[in-house]
Amino acid sequence: MQGLRLGSAACSAGIVQRQILSNGGQNAVRLGCKNVVFGLPSWDLGLQPTRAVSLLDGGSTGGRVKARATGRVAPAANASNTMELITADEKDELELLEPDFYRIGYVRHVRAYGIEFREGPDGIGVYSAKDLPYLEKPRVILEVPMEIMVTCRKDLPWMFFPDIVPMGHPIFEIINSTDPEKDWDVRMACLLLLALDTPDNFWQLYGDYLPSVDDSSSLLLASEEELLELQDSELAQRIRDLQQRAETTWEKHWPADSILKLKRLSREPGRFRWALATAMSRSFTMPMNVGTIVQDANMLIPYADMFNHSVQPTCSYRFRKKDRMLEVIINAGQEIKQGDEMTFNYLEQGTNTTFMERYGFSTAANPWDTLRFSGNSKIHLDSFLSAFQIAGMKDEYYYNETASEEVDPFIDGTIVAAARTLPTWEEKDLPYIPSTEIRSACELQHECQQLLDDFPTTLEDDTRLLNEQADVRSPRWKAAIKYRIDRKSFIKKIIQALDVYMERILY
Ligand SMILES: C[S@@+](CC[C@H](N)C(=O)[O-])C[C@H]1O[C@@H](n2cnc3c(N)ncnc32)[C@H](O)[C@@H]1O
């Protein structure tokens, strides 16, 4: 079978392109299904930026250190086999980060091969510095030593690697009071604040490259006005609850009479909220080996936290036991072009609502998006799938290209999402009746139209608004408008898909 992967055609940066995936002799257009991960542990990543203007106290209102167009990045001496040096291509539009960004990592044994960090449409991202021919094997592109991470064991007893918590420091009391099940982000926020405050800690330097409150898309930092722009009352309420939790946590643990070494970590609630937003959107969760012990840990990992998300990621990561390194690899089975964005899949099967809640972004044509239908209408699953030549199991749908002459451009992640989310029925012994199918499809279309009509603005209004105001609005506002655009586009495409289904239905 021949085919290609689909699903991220509408990836936010528009940089990840369709790529031919060789799949054990079988090729197929894969539609936002699980990645080929080569037996690596799957991880969920939380990464989100905000630069602390003053790393020593509460203020963090300024912008993060801006990228500067540079020539060759000059790391420390004898650079053989080290951070790959990158030439800024004059044709490149995205600005390279300044040399210090590389230098501070290089001296701490961070090694990057053939990649560069640039300011792109989704903040800083990681891009290939060169063409790579079709990869038969995964290829290491980044190594980050554990010594510069901030990690916390996921379960009791709390353990930190490296252990940056001094004996008797009051931050330990806060960490110790957290719920092991629910509060991993509070623990990571506390450790981040401590790392930013600890002399000689790497994060005192790296903190300059985290997004500030002004640069962050995290909805934890959103105003009420920005939350209303979501046009999703449930999501807005969940964010309000998270904001309230941040406020309550700060009030409880940072009383007015708290001692200076605690007080200066977060002089005002906004600082804690920022740390929480940063922890939520930049943390990794994965098994980590320390000595003979394997344990799940939450981790903040500099440099690796600069990879943006794609549902069709180019890269994966794992913790390398022998030298305690985070290793990022380009997945095999791809051809990489210079300038291609290197991405992770932050959350397998994440809906746009989930991404918004944790990271503050949504993606168009997300194959895992869902719609809630309330009527009784259902269409026949196999019939719908065959109309679009989709094969495989629900979690692994792929577009079966061989069934047609060429790739159907209409088929993207939304169609797969539609196949997963539309109410369907299947009974092996019961054939569908085309006229019943058509009636059900029309009813489902009607329900979709009602959902669209319930929004206070149209897709066209939103697109115009975003185009007109993007330059003067906050990242949260833009993310909120983009979210409702993605939502409405999804619903519209389902209506179209049902039209196509009715046209293609077999009599
Ligand atoms: C782990 S950070 C990645 C690095 C980040 N771009 C930066 O500038 O620091 C995650 C944040 O990057 C942005 N991001 C990542 N993937 C994205 C995507 N596919 N679309 C839009 N924004 C994305 C969001 O702001 C998210 O909270």
Side-chain angles (χ1 to χ4, degrees), residues 33 368 381 391-397 416 419-422 424:
C33 38
W368 296 102
L381 178 61
M393 308 296 287
K394 213 173 173 79
D395 281 359
E396 294 280 342
Y397 281 146
V416 175
R420 292 196 178 110
T421 203
L422 276 166
T424 53

Side-chain angles (χ1 to χ4, degrees), residues 203-481:
W203 286 75
Q204 288 216 321
L205 301 172
Y206 192 72
D208 283 354
Y209 300 95
L210 300 176
S212 67
V213 171
D214 291 344
D215 296 328
S216 173
S217 67
S218 170
L219 294 181
L220 212 52
L221 305 169
S223 64
E224 181 58 25
E225 185 209 355
E226 287 163 346
L227 292 183
L228 291 175
E229 297 292 5
L230 291 165
Q231 297 185 350
D232 179 336
S233 54
E234 279 181 31
L235 175 59
Q237 191 49 48
R238 277 209 299 283
I239 304 293
R240 278 183 211 111
D241 293 344
L242 285 174
Q243 292 179 339
Q244 187 54 51
R245 170 176 169 261
E247 209 77 6
T248 317
T249 307
W250 183 82
E251 277 165 12
K252 181 171 164 203
H253 295 293
W254 270 270
D257 60 352
S258 51
I259 58 173
L260 183 62
K261 65 179 166 184
L262 179 63
K263 185 181 271 183
R264 68 175 190 227
L265 300 188
S266 176
R267 287 185 191 275
E268 34 81 36
R271 174 71 170 166
F272 184 69
R273 212 196 268 195
W274 168 83
L276 206 54
T278 305
M280 274 176 81
S281 57
R282 304 188 86 84
S283 296
F284 295 75
T285 305
M286 68 180 136
M288 175 182 80
N289 301 66
V290 177
T292 52
I293 310 167
V294 180
Q295 47 196 319
D296 278 340
N298 301 117
M299 314 164 92
L300 283 164
I301 308 179
Y303 298 98
D305 68 357
M306 292 299 178
F307 285 73
N308 286 322
H309 162 84
S310 167
V311 78
Q312 294 281 290
T314 40
C315 301
S316 327
Y317 60 82
R318 64 182 161 200
F319 187 76
R320 201 168 64 206
K321 188 168 137 190
K322 67 174 180 338
D323 52 357
R324 305 202 301 183
M325 286 267 181
L326 187 278
E327 183 178 76
V328 177
I329 58 172
I330 304 183
N331 299 329
Q334 310 174 84
E335 193 183 331
I336 304 286
K337 294 266 169 256
Q338 180 182 6
D340 279 356
E341 185 165 15
M342 305 281 95
T343 50
F344 292 147
N345 186 344
Y346 290 3
L347 291 173
E348 289 286 350
Q349 309 191 3
T351 63
N352 275 349
T353 312
T354 317
F355 282 119
M356 281 303 280
E357 189 173 325
R358 181 156 170 191
Y359 304 98
F361 72 82
S362 59
T363 60
N366 179 347
W368 296 102
D369 235 352
T370 55
L371 260 194
R372 232 177 283 148
F373 289 89
S374 55
N376 296 322
S377 312
K378 290 181 176 172
I379 49 170
H380 188 258
L381 178 61
D382 283 345
S383 163
F384 184 82
L385 294 179
S386 68
F388 297 102
Q389 288 143 225
I390 296 174
M393 308 296 287
K394 213 173 173 79
D395 281 359
E396 294 280 342
Y397 281 146
Y398 64 89
Y399 173 51
N400 186 355
E401 191 200 349
T402 45
S404 68
E405 292 289 294
E406 53 191 43
V407 176
D408 182 344
F410 183 70
I411 299 179
D412 62 9
T414 321
I415 304 298
V416 175
R420 292 196 178 110
T421 203
L422 276 166
T424 53
W425 65 278
E426 55 180 335
E427 255 179 70
K428 291 289 168 246
D429 299 332
L430 203 62
Y432 63 82
I433 303 164
S435 58
T436 314
E437 283 299 293
I438 288 178
R439 194 169 55 246
S440 298
C442 286
E443 283 165 6
L444 290 169
Q445 281 184 319
H446 182 68
E447 202 171 338
C448 287
Q449 190 56 51
Q450 271 181 342
L451 289 173
L452 282 176
D453 294 345
D454 286 346
F455 284 106
T457 56
T458 65
L459 178 58
E460 294 70 28
D461 294 337
D462 298 342
T463 311
R464 201 175 321 112
L465 188 66
L466 188 60
N467 286 338
E468 282 169 7
Q469 300 200 15
D471 289 346
V472 293
R473 294 293 196 151
S474 76
R476 271 96 52 191
W477 183 91
K478 285 184 265 186
I481 308 287

